[in-house]
Amino acid sequence: MNWEFTVLDFIAKHLRTEIGNLFFPFISSLANGGMIWILFSLFLLSQKKTRTIGLAALLSLLFMQLIGNSCIKPLIARERPFIARPEKLTYLLIAPPGEYSFPSGHTFSSFSAATVIALGNKKLGIPALILAAIIGFSRLYLYVHFPTDVIGGMFFGILLGILVWKCFLTYLSKK
């Protein structure tokens, strides 16, 4: 875990800027409760051409909630960086989150929805994956997750997105 604090401290000491201190809390807040992805999925669902993608993305978010926040987080029960090192509370730019740290739910939900979107529509998927990566980085910038929390969220999100998309296509092909 020592290398992870080295990364977090480097970001906090050397990469923070006045603009970043406004930008990253905003970007991170977009993914609170998966809201940006829910809204994007509902938009896709409302368009006949992208309805399948929107429904699959919503399903991936539902499964992410069940698997990530309801199962993995309480099972691992990893404390957040600012709890492990309370002297670093001054690094926080947002209210301290209350849940456990691993995996990053913001990153998990972002990559599960963005992966489904990318598999369904490359043109929409590229910006979705870029936004997911920025959201993941924001969690490090804000000192609320360890790097492995974000890497784990990315891994589980991509895996879940692929599984949901493949299962969804299999289900649709049988209809």
Side-chain angles (χ1 to χ4, degrees):
M1 198 170 2
N2 202 17
W3 73 269
E4 295 194 83
F5 281 118
T6 302
V7 170
L8 289 173
D9 291 344
F10 178 84
I11 292 168
K13 290 177 185 172
H14 302 289
L15 299 182
R16 283 196 173 176
T17 65
E18 287 183 32
I19 293 171
N21 291 351
L22 296 172
F23 177 75
F24 287 111
F26 170 74
I27 285 294
S28 186
S29 73
L30 292 177
N32 288 350
M35 192 52 61
I36 189 72
W37 302 107
I38 292 168
L39 293 174
F40 194 40
S41 298
L42 291 173
F43 172 76
L44 294 172
L45 195 58
S46 73
Q47 308 297 308
K48 188 173 185 176
K49 187 177 176 182
T50 57
R51 193 163 287 147
T52 301
I53 300 166
L55 186 55
L58 284 173
L59 284 174
S60 77
L61 292 168
L62 174 66
F63 287 125
M64 175 273 154
Q65 180 66 31
L66 295 171
I67 295 166
N69 289 345
S70 299
C71 294
I72 299 174
K73 276 191 184 224
L75 182 67
I76 304 294
R78 184 182 196 187
E79 62 186 9
R80 291 182 180 270
F82 62 86
I83 293 173
R85 292 175 71 198
E87 72 277 9
K88 300 299 182 183
L89 271 171
T90 58
Y91 286 165
L92 287 183
L93 298 172
I94 60 172
E99 299 173 351
Y100 294 117
S101 193
F102 184 87
S104 165
H106 283 68
T107 309
F108 193 162
S109 64
S110 295
F111 273 95
S112 67
T115 298
V116 166
I117 293 165
L119 291 171
N121 183 313
K122 285 186 183 19
K123 189 175 178 181
L124 295 173
I126 291 170
L129 288 167
I130 290 169
L131 178 58
I134 294 169
I135 289 169
F137 178 77
S138 77
R139 306 307 284 170
L140 302 175
Y141 188 94
L142 298 172
Y143 216 86
V144 294
H145 280 290
F146 291 103
T148 52
D149 300 337
V150 171
I151 292 166
M154 187 183 336
F155 172 79
F156 288 128
I158 291 169
L159 182 64
L160 180 63
I162 291 169
L163 286 171
V164 167
W165 184 249
K166 296 253 186 222
C167 291
F168 201 68
L169 287 182
T170 301
Y171 171 76
L172 289 177
S173 69
K174 291 182 180 181
K175 282 190 124 190

